[in-house]
Amino acid sequence: MSTATSGTEEMAVRDVINQALGEEMERDERVYIQGIDVNGRGGTSNILKGLDERFGDERVRNTPISEVSIVGSALGAAATGMRPVVEIMYCGFLGVAGDQLLNQVAKMRYMFGGKLDLPLTIRTKNVMGANAAAQHSQALHHWLAAIPGLKVVCTSTPADTKGLLKAAVRSNDPVMVFEHGGVYNRKGEVPTEDYVYEIGEAAVERPGEDVTVVATQNQLWNAFEAADRVDDVSVEVVSPRTISPLDTETIAESARKTGRCVVVDDTPLSYGTQSQFATTIYENAFFDLDFPVQRIGVNDVPTPFSPSLEDEVIPDTDDIADAIRKLA
Amino acid sequence: MSTATSGTEEMAVRDVINQALGEEMERDERVYIQGIDVNGRGGTSNILKGLDERFGDERVRNTPISEVSIVGSALGAAATGMRPVVEIMYCGFLGVAGDQLLNQVAKMRYMFGGKLDLPLTIRTKNVMGANAAAQHSQALHHWLAAIPGLKVVCTSTPADTKGLLKAAVRSNDPVMVFEHGGVYNRKGEVPTEDYVYEIGEAAVERPGEDVTVVATQNQLWNAFEAADRVDDVSVEVVSPRTISPLDTETIAESARKTGRCVVVDDTPLSYGTQSQFATTIYENAFFDLDFPVQRIGVNDVPTPFSPSLEDEVIPDTDDIADAIRKLA
Amino acid sequence: MSPADEAKREIPADERIEMLRTMRRIREFESVVQNKFADAEIPGFLHLYIGQEAIATGVCHALEEKDYLTSTHRGHGHCIARGLDTDRMAAELYGKETGYCNGKGGSMHIADVEAGMLGANGIVAGGIPIATGAALSAKMRDTDEVAVSFFGDGALSEGAFHESFNQAAIWELPLIGVIENNQYGEMTGLDEQHPPSTLDDLTIYGEPYGVHRERIDGMDVEEVYRTAMEAVERARNGGGPTLIECVAYRFEGHHEGDSQFYRPEGELDEWKQRDPLLTYPEKLVDEGVITEAEYVDMEEGIETEIQEAIEFARESPLPDPEQAYEGLYAEGGEGA
Amino acid sequence: MSPADEAKREIPADERIEMLRTMRRIREFESVVQNKFADAEIPGFLHLYIGQEAIATGVCHALEEKDYLTSTHRGHGHCIARGLDTDRMAAELYGKETGYCNGKGGSMHIADVEAGMLGANGIVAGGIPIATGAALSAKMRDTDEVAVSFFGDGALSEGAFHESFNQAAIWELPLIGVIENNQYGEMTGLDEQHPPSTLDDLTIYGEPYGVHRERIDGMDVEEVYRTAMEAVERARNGGGPTLIECVAYRFEGHHEGDSQFYRPEGELDEWKQRDPLLTYPEKLVDEGVITEAEYVDMEEGIETEIQEAIEFARESPLPDPEQAYEGLYAEGGEGA
Ligand SMILES: Cc1ncc(C[n+]2csc(CCOP(=O)(O)OP(=O)(O)O)c2C)c(N)n1
Ligand SMILES: Cc1ncc(C[n+]2csc(CCOP(=O)(O)OP(=O)(O)O)c2C)c(N)n1
Ligand SMILES: [Mg+2]
Ligand SMILES: [Mg+2]
């Protein structure tokens, strides 16, 4: 991607999603949206507001409350000439469509000998820190990434939201797009030109020399803050962007340079993304590492409701800063 | 557990399951079985044969083909005084019951403030190497272990099958018992006395000095074979037994001793158990490791049908032996 | 008394007053927590039951202590009607240690298993299989307990409803499904979420299973009670599952914060004419069951109760952060 | 011709012969692969369609090239009836590179998307949502394509069936559900898996959705064809979904290796009286549509075809192991 000739504009993540989907729907009439309350309400976070009027009820389709059929029918539509963009309101509802995700969406192309394209985008959101309690407050990108056949991206900044969401919609493979409720109102500069980010490419969001922090979504913003705070340490912040397939090389390169790494994410410490990030680092930078990788995440409990408890379990800027200091 | 005074008897894994469940049903009349074709056929692998006649149709209940309701109704029964043992025929069907597993079974106790017991056992089987193709040929214990609130055990040998299955049935927490189709006919000595293995305890199945191999289920048997084969290297074989919560200490202790580790499992290399095992080792034996941990698993594809392809993707004894030699 | 007689019996005055009180307590609780939520005292989401009080009240009045229920994201009414204490409920909404779930659950997960209340549920239709299991357990343990599952019109589109009722019908379980048809699933009307064939009578969703079906006025607490009573007696006596549609209306937004853009003009006002907290006190006063003054007294008592409940919640401590790591698994136990 | 006329029309002799041929080809294919499986030439699982040939044949004969179908674990009949080549099918069963899925899918996942065949499916009811999506796509792309989903009686207990038909009914999609009632789900009879209310007519499972419903003899290929034809024409013309129950019987085990302990004595023999490959050739001979000699010729031709298909499969190479890592994702493509 080149943004050399392009201007930028400051936008919030939520507006970027609306704009990007609108542009993709204009670009290709096979692109349409289906999900609960996407029409009228504009989706669960009102992000799709106005797309119904622009594109009509056929292309912004309200479904019944039927996640199996929402996902499965989108798959069937993707297999036969459409390019659906599904909204699953909260990632916690993905379980209802568990079989369609695990056995149909993820495996169809492979089982059939690679003989069809499945241009299917499934948008959903991680929510943590909104006192939404265990079922609504989850981060589940690790759970979907554990299924071969699903590409999984995590959007974090306004600019990557545009590049990744557009890439997902244009991809001929099923892509799970995990947004995060905690970054919808984050603002940043977004190139005005049309662009996509390659699915499978991580980015060094902020270069540094002493410690690498690999972070996603709201933890990426916390990582920026932590990096500012520990101003005596030069911190390199890496955003994986795509969780599956993971960009091993970009992460490992940073790790080899700094020899000290923190990985932070909202998933559980056991079988969460952190263990995969850490393994990637250990394997590819083993002889350059000075210390074990510091993993920060949720310590293997569902998300409790009470603010005092939820604050305890979700990683924050302090946790990241402490880990950086411990290594530096 | 003490087996000092107890004799042993040679049994196949499949017979151990039948025996253990029969004993638990005799021991406690609240224990009952529900699932597809459990009555008559004796479950998908005919393992439950005869329990219907011993305990009647009420306690060996055939359900309709309704995994949501099979799991969900067992949860409701567990919450109100029964101790259900559910059979999900193939682990690939767990996705159908995705929500009940992710949001109900795993979270109920915690969300409710820890105020109820949920003595629920869910038996299912990993199947790999049976040319059963992508949907029937899966290993998914990593997928369930990624959900805090589910205890997950993997049975491998006749003796651990008895100890772990009985522990699951007697546990007051939901326990996912992953059996493996590839070990059902494996035989071994089983203590005749009544015993349970602690959920959360790994075991050194075979002590050694030079290289640690952490392996589950059919890969545990392959690991034994590989260890025999590389007879110039002293191999320590560790069986995690419980995948969640993982027994960090037993695994790390072995790693600290040998400084060289192989971890092998039927799950995918990305976000599979291997990354969690490896991370555990790196973190707890960092300064004792001579080389990176060798991870062996499925290289991030669904399981293909054709024997030539399936043989390629599933780890085997050669892969383990090669990894051991590489390290030794 | 046969079930039919039982259902037809004159409802004694004290029970009628009790039902009025329950409805009034729900209304008061909901109105007050609505304010406290607006004041940002209550964190998270809030789905209010205002307008639907007659349903929870009528159904729960037909239950005995030994029975079970499962609820939804809109669960406060079911809790109060089931007899849960408003102070511990309020404390739970405030995320306090003294709440029913020690602050771990919040509004969407209040439960009191001791009271047979198997939880609110944040997943649409998520509680139906659980209630089915309670009904199964009741039967297997050879009791005459019954299980009631409350759910919205929207839940009828989820596979979980169908799998559960199919299974309950095969096994003839003592399961009662209460469809609370409040005309909307979130911000979308019934007609976009259900085929035309269902709109006149949502219990048709239970037709395949051969379960007993009743469609009633969900704003008439006595009709709800009588219908539930029949269903409960039938279930207790081995007569199998029932599906009841209670036609009602949600007076507040789907959740607090909902702009309610989707309501046709006048619809809300029209339904409010039938507000059970308008019509039922009037009826009981008219019929001389209670005097106006007694009702005012009752209301005052309830206002005090709820005020005290809020005070209790406010003054209770937040849970100690370390408690976040407790309660996931049972302590001890063989093989635990 | 109106749909009703179309369905009532005399079926031309050549079409009747064609249907006979299709059924006979399915039977031959299944019988031969049954043997090859017993000889351990074919790996994995094998679920045979023997006894149900009239269903796939009659339904697929009513379809056009542009239409779609989804199938089940018992999918060979649907493939053949849809026009897939038996050699590439056999090769797929053998796990060979020349198979429809290059050996990646096997019996339970044969697909030929080019032919609108969206796959066998190892998950009970797993294909129904996919067919619903094909029907949606047909409608959104403004075509008159229709989608047929074949599934067993057992699939009616899965939530996926309900969610799909509910959605298809709301959206009036050109979806046709074909219930193949073969009296069993695995080793368990219908009456243990479905409530009594459904046993006389499984299409009652579609009653809530207001879809068209037909219950027919699944061993009579012409009845199947006529009924399917009506449903297809209706769907093409915007008349929405249909659910057809085809009553039939599975002559072989659930899968090869099944001991069939569960069959009541005599049941199989009784059903075999109605074997479409007994009755239909007889009928066509009786009616002078085909002579016995012609039928013998036809059979010989089919035997040769299937023998050659097996030879093709046997002689085809196994896929190169490295191919295991191909085909998961699309190559290239923007943002791929
Ligand atoms: C599986 C699932 N999908 C979607 C949601 C989001 N959601 C919460 S409440 C609701 C509407 C439910 O409608 P209804 O069942 O009629 O209950 P009501 O809110 O009207 O009481 C939806 C879609 C959810 N909680 N769970
Ligand atoms: C979700 C799921 N649960 C269970 C199974 C195991 N299974 C395979 S076929 C079958 C029976 C299906 O019965 P039916 O739908 O009547 O089809 P039939 O086999 O009779 O053709 C079952 C239970 C499965 N494949 N998928
Ligand atoms: Mg509603
Ligand atoms: Mg069947």
Side-chain angles (χ1 to χ4, degrees), chain B residues 184-197:
Chain B
Y184 277 148
N185 296 326
R186 290 281 185 175
K187 289 189 176 163
E189 292 299 317
V190 182
T192 49
E193 64 163 6
D194 184 53
Y195 63 94
V196 296
Y197 282 170

Side-chain angles (χ1 to χ4, degrees), chain C residues 1-8 226 229-230 233-234 237:
Chain C
M1 220 169 355
S2 81
D5 291 345
E6 170 75 16
K8 259 182 265 133
R226 284 181 210 279
M229 199 68 194
E230 267 185 77
E233 291 302 322
R234 184 164 46 231
N237 295 308

Side-chain angles (χ1 to χ4, degrees), chain D residues 152-154 180-186:
Chain D
D153 41 277
E180 305 199 42
N181 175 358
N182 63 5
Q183 313 302 327
Y184 291 94
E186 296 225 330

Side-chain angles (χ1 to χ4, degrees), chain A residues 37 41 66-67 90 135 306 308, chain C residues 45 95 122 157-158 186 188 319:
Chain A
D37 269 350
R41 181 186 189 180
S66 307
E67 282 79 5
Y90 286 76
Q135 292 173 339
S306 178
S308 71
Chain C
F45 289 114
S157 300
E158 292 281 13
E186 296 226 330
T188 302

Side-chain angles (χ1 to χ4, degrees), chain C residues 267-332:
Chain C
E267 189 181 76
L268 178 59
D269 287 339
E270 208 168 293
W271 278 94
K272 279 201 169 167
Q273 309 294 309
R274 297 173 48 203
D275 182 352
L277 284 160
L278 202 67
T279 58
Y280 200 54
E282 220 169 72
K283 180 181 165 121
L284 294 199
V285 170
D286 280 358
E287 296 184 13
V289 176
I290 187 174
T291 66
E292 292 224 26
E294 282 167 341
Y295 185 53
V296 170
D297 269 5
M298 181 197 284
E299 287 194 295
E300 281 172 11
I302 291 170
E303 279 160 30
T304 307
E305 175 202 342
I306 304 303
Q307 209 35 64
E308 285 172 3
I310 297 292
E311 283 313 316
F312 174 79
R314 277 181 172 152
E315 283 163 22
S316 293
L318 283 165
D320 186 89
E322 276 308 303
Q323 289 187 17
Y325 303 110
E326 285 161 25
L328 184 57
Y329 294 120
E331 302 294 314

Side-chain angles (χ1 to χ4, degrees), chain C residues 152-154 180 182-185:
Chain C
D153 40 277
E180 304 198 42
N182 62 5
Q183 313 302 327
Y184 291 93

Side-chain angles (χ1 to χ4, degrees), chain A residues 99, chain B residues 36-37 41 65-67 89-90 92-93 96 136, chain D residues 47-48 52 72-74 108 121-126 151-156 158 180-187 190 193-194 250 254:
Chain A
D99 176 66
Chain B
I36 295 167
D37 270 350
R41 181 186 190 180
I65 309 175
S66 307
E67 282 79 4
M89 306 173 69
Y90 286 76
F93 309 162
V96 182
H136 284 67
Chain D
H47 302 86
L48 297 177
Q52 301 174 220
T72 66
H73 55 289
R74 198 179 300 292
M108 270 195 287
N121 208 308
I123 299 296
V124 170
F151 45 88
D153 41 277
L156 297 165
E158 291 280 13
E180 305 199 42
N181 175 358
N182 63 5
Q183 313 302 327
Y184 291 94
E186 296 225 330
M187 289 74 178
L190 285 187
Q193 300 200 24
H194 302 280
R250 151 162 75 62
H254 166 64

Side-chain angles (χ1 to χ4, degrees), chain D residues 179-307:
Chain D
I179 308 168
E180 305 199 42
N181 175 358
N182 63 5
Q183 313 302 327
Y184 291 94
E186 296 225 330
M187 289 74 178
T188 302
L190 285 187
D191 56 344
E192 256 186 273
Q193 300 200 24
H194 302 280
S197 47
T198 64
L199 297 177
D200 287 343
D201 181 0
L202 290 173
T203 71
I204 196 173
Y205 275 105
E207 173 72 4
Y209 317 116
V211 300
H212 299 271
R213 296 166 41 195
E214 298 286 346
R215 179 175 209 257
I216 59 172
D217 180 357
M219 303 202 120
D220 178 341
V221 69
E222 298 194 355
E223 187 174 345
V224 174
Y225 166 67
R226 283 181 210 280
T227 309
M229 199 68 195
E230 267 185 77
V232 166
E233 292 302 321
R234 185 164 44 231
R236 279 207 211 295
N237 294 307
T242 298
L243 187 61
I244 303 170
E245 177 185 0
C246 298
V247 182
Y249 196 77
R250 151 162 75 62
F251 289 177
E252 301 298 324
H254 166 64
H255 51 46
E256 287 307 285
D258 172 6
S259 75
Q260 306 178 51
F261 65 89
Y262 47 85
R263 292 206 210 267
E265 207 180 296
E267 189 181 77
L268 178 60
D269 287 339
E270 207 168 293
W271 278 94
K272 280 201 169 168
Q273 309 294 309
R274 297 172 49 202
D275 182 352
L277 285 160
L278 202 68
T279 59
Y280 200 56
E282 218 169 76
K283 180 182 165 118
L284 295 198
V285 169
D286 281 357
E287 295 185 14
V289 176
I290 188 173
T291 65
E292 292 221 29
E294 282 167 340
Y295 185 52
V296 171
D297 269 5
M298 181 196 284
E299 286 194 295
E300 281 172 10
I302 290 169
E303 279 160 30
T304 308
E305 175 202 341
I306 304 303
Q307 208 36 63

